[in-house]
Amino acid sequence: MQTMLALPQPIAYAPIAAGPEVSVSGALTALYFSDSSYTSAAADDPPIELFRPRLKEPYDFAARLFEQGEPAGRSSVSAGAISIVNADGALDELLGLGWAGRTIELYRGRRSAPFSSFNEVFRGTCDGITWTTRLITIRLRDRQDILAQPLQTALYGGAGGLDAGEDLAGKAKPQCYGQCFNVPPAAIDTARQVYQVHDREIEGILAVRDNGAALAPAGDVAALALADVFAWDPQPGDAGTYITDVSQGVFRLGSAPAGRVTADVLGDAFGGFVSTTADIVRRIVSTQPLVGQINDPAGLDVASFDALNAAQSAVVGFFASAEQQPSIAEVVDRLLAGIGGYWFFTRRDGLRVGRLEAPVAGGRVIEQGRIADTTPISRRLLQRPSRARRVAWAPLWAVQDPDSLADAVAEEDKEFYSTPARLAAASDDGVLTKHRLALDVEVPALFAFQSDAENEAERLLALHSQPRDVYTLGLVDSVFQFEIGDALTLALGRFGLDQGRPFVVLSVEENAARNETLLELWG
């Protein structure tokens, strides 16, 4: 067996007239190495390519589905490093190439087999290189780093109109997805009372308020036969109204506001309105101008997105104002953590999303004969059971002081606009009978509707009101076979597992040199 390395397109640091993504010679470069001499077949891609036998150490990998007692969005990955032998100095010329951020692909297969039969065991990027007189060491980064880029890449230029005034020059344009309540729009033209909630087409604006007092909708520019909101000439009778231009994510008031302007919005509709967690995540990661683009569907584990939509189809929402700069990863974390979900990049299928569920029978069966003698099987409690779950719904993206709201606003509405979110609760005090230290957990979810939050609270309570064990065990002859989140059954002669019990793979730690895998199983 051998591990293969393909390093596509390292770039030169020196400026070259042809552009940055070229090698010193002026052509795109790919580098191929292996742990022993190997040449691909004529029918392979790449064809008849010599993989130089310079890889020094087998590749090690570790990943964990979640760190604490339950998912909070992204998994954690330790991609490690690989070393290339360069004692003879034959590769010194490579040190000047632009390695950082370039794609790294690792494959594993038999020396006698064509490269097309090899399995891809890692795809990520280079975090940089270090070198000595003997070795070039390539530090690896998981593809999660692709999503470390800002959600809001479009900035206002300050030239007026949709480009906003000079006061917003350099500020990020707001982003709105799904159904969002009480968002603080960007005031892109204060003289003409024009506001923006999203930097492209939206589904609609449900309400606009001035200091909490509702304004009356007067139509969209398309229905009013206006070129845009700037073409509107409000008359005295238009006071207390607003018009919209959903194609640009903007609205305009018919008169100057008395105080703070907020809106309820149905967000991004670029390619159709999306409102579920899975669909919003998919829209964001596949339409933002990422360095290292995630293509839809090739860069996604589409089946996982479909499965998550089937499991959780509730309406949610996320808003980022002109004052914020969250990364895409932070936004995806927030969305998925609100439904007990997670995300990570698989070895082969791209970005995968999921939701922690009670383990069910299925998947491969792990029996005593596959367990390594080097690691004793251990069992521990991951998190104390829960006696109550409180799940947020209708979160406000602008929380207002009740004393600042208009006198005409009803008291119950003042309470609504001054409360960050409402909570749906599910509890079982019977859990305390056995578990004196049972938890009361609040989930900062993004549900639009109370019924969906209530359903999620009940689901989470059922999932976490009982103790959940974590088993740790080592397996032989099993590297590069498991993904975090996989379902499997553990059948042992100990711990009451003789009939087999279903688990979810919580963590994977692989040691290719020993051909062993350390698993943590949750269930």
Side-chain angles (χ1 to χ4, degrees):
M1 306 293 287
Q2 61 184 354
T3 302
M4 312 297 293
L5 163 66
L7 176 64
Q9 304 174 14
I11 61 175
Y13 284 119
I16 298 175
E21 292 196 7
V22 294
S23 70
V24 175
S25 64
L28 294 175
T29 300
L31 304 176
Y32 301 92
F33 300 97
S34 71
D35 63 349
S36 60
S37 185
Y38 177 83
T39 301
S40 60
D44 282 333
D45 182 15
I48 316 179
E49 180 70 45
L50 173 64
F51 287 63
R52 288 180 277 187
R54 288 180 175 267
L55 289 187
K56 181 178 184 294
E57 298 173 353
Y59 168 66
D60 294 337
F61 174 83
R64 188 176 182 84
L65 197 61
F66 49 89
E67 290 291 346
Q68 304 301 321
E70 53 196 277
R74 80 190 80 179
S75 62
S76 63
V77 176
S78 175
I82 50 178
S83 296
I84 300 173
V85 175
N86 188 37
D88 58 0
L91 303 181
D92 285 355
E93 64 183 27
L94 302 181
L95 300 180
L97 299 181
W99 294 75
R102 309 311 296 178
T103 300
I104 303 287
E105 298 174 357
L106 295 173
Y107 295 82
R108 193 168 189 255
R110 296 187 179 278
R111 293 184 179 91
S112 59
F115 185 63
S116 58
S117 70
F118 281 39
N119 292 321
E120 184 178 19
V121 298
F122 175 79
R123 179 181 296 181
T125 59
C126 175
D127 191 40
I129 64 171
T130 57
W131 59 90
T132 68
T133 55
R134 296 177 180 272
L135 294 174
I136 299 173
T137 300
I138 302 173
R139 300 190 306 275
L140 303 179
R141 302 173 70 176
D142 180 72
R143 282 177 288 171
Q144 286 185 357
D145 288 325
I146 295 174
L147 303 189
Q149 300 165 66
L151 172 70
Q152 299 145 284
T153 56
L155 306 178
Y156 289 115
L162 291 175
D163 200 34
E166 293 182 355
D167 58 322
L168 289 183
K171 293 287 185 70
K173 295 183 179 181
Q175 294 268 294
C176 185
Y177 295 88
Q179 185 165 347
C180 295
F181 299 92
N182 221 43
V183 305
I188 62 174
D189 188 329
T190 55
R192 289 184 282 188
Q193 294 85 48
V194 180
Y195 300 84
Q196 188 166 35
V197 295
H198 191 59
D199 66 348
R200 58 190 183 193
E201 183 180 1
I202 60 173
E203 181 71 8
I205 293 178
L206 299 176
V208 174
R209 289 177 291 275
D210 177 4
N211 268 356
L215 304 181
D220 189 79
V221 294
L224 298 171
L226 295 171
D228 53 39
V229 294
F230 301 100
W232 189 35
D233 182 20
Q235 300 302 307
D238 293 317
T241 69
Y242 66 93
I243 66 169
T244 63
D245 182 351
V246 296
S247 71
Q248 300 293 336
V250 300
F251 63 89
R252 181 179 178 181
L253 306 187
S255 57
R260 189 175 194 182
V261 175
T262 59
D264 296 343
V265 182
L266 297 177
D268 186 78
F270 180 78
F273 178 57
V274 291
S275 60
T276 67
T277 299
D279 285 345
I280 292 174
V281 170
R282 185 171 182 172
R283 173 65 54 81
I284 289 173
V285 302
S286 63
T287 61
Q288 292 296 324
L290 297 172
V291 177
Q293 183 72 37
I294 299 176
N295 295 317
D296 186 353
L300 306 175
D301 180 359
V302 174
S304 73
F305 282 83
D306 292 342
L308 185 57
N309 257 335
Q312 178 53 274
S313 59
V315 175
V316 299
F318 183 87
F319 178 77
S321 73
E323 305 300 324
Q324 297 171 302
Q325 282 288 303
S327 70
I328 293 174
E330 289 169 336
V331 175
V332 175
D333 284 347
R334 180 80 190 277
L335 286 160
L336 285 165
I339 62 167
Y342 54 81
W343 63 274
F344 62 94
F345 284 89
T346 69
R347 304 182 197 277
R348 306 173 187 87
D349 300 325
L351 179 63
R352 177 176 295 177
V353 295
R355 184 176 76 163
L356 186 65
E357 308 272 8
V360 295
R364 68 185 73 185
V365 178
I366 305 298
E367 297 178 318
Q368 188 70 49
R370 293 195 60 191
I371 296 177
D373 296 332
T374 54
T375 305
I377 300 171
S378 65
R379 170 187 171 185
R380 63 186 173 88
L381 180 67
L382 182 63
Q383 177 176 271
R384 295 197 300 271
S386 295
R387 63 157 294 275
R389 288 278 163 155
R390 293 175 293 150
V391 176
W393 63 278
L396 302 186
W397 299 96
V399 180
Q400 297 173 273
D401 185 334
D403 294 334
S404 71
L405 298 174
D407 293 339
V409 178
E411 289 302 317
E412 59 268 27
D413 289 336
K414 288 184 178 181
E415 181 180 0
F416 185 95
Y417 300 132
S418 62
T419 304
R422 283 117 291 283
L423 296 174
S427 62
D428 181 359
D429 288 337
V431 175
L432 290 172
T433 303
K434 185 175 182 180
H435 305 285
R436 297 288 183 88
L437 300 178
L439 303 174
D440 187 338
V441 179
E442 184 173 316
V443 180
L446 300 171
F447 293 109
F449 303 117
Q450 181 177 359
S451 59
D452 292 321
E454 290 172 342
N455 291 338
E456 181 66 5
E458 293 287 352
R459 186 190 78 86
L460 290 174
L461 182 64
L463 183 65
H464 295 291
S465 60
Q466 56 182 296
R468 293 294 180 180
D469 295 324
V470 171
Y471 284 80
T472 302
L473 62 153
L475 301 179
V476 295
D477 298 327
S478 57
V479 292
F480 311 127
Q481 295 182 24
F482 295 92
E483 294 274 14
I484 51 177
D486 282 354
L488 56 77
T489 297
L490 183 60
L492 303 175
R494 297 283 303 277
F495 307 119
L497 300 175
D498 52 303
Q499 298 300 312
R501 177 176 160 187
F503 287 89
V504 173
V505 176
L506 173 62
S507 73
V508 176
E509 185 176 332
E510 295 166 331
N511 187 308
R514 295 202 306 262
N515 198 24
E516 290 184 1
T517 298
L518 186 69
L519 295 181
E520 284 189 312
L521 308 179
W522 178 92

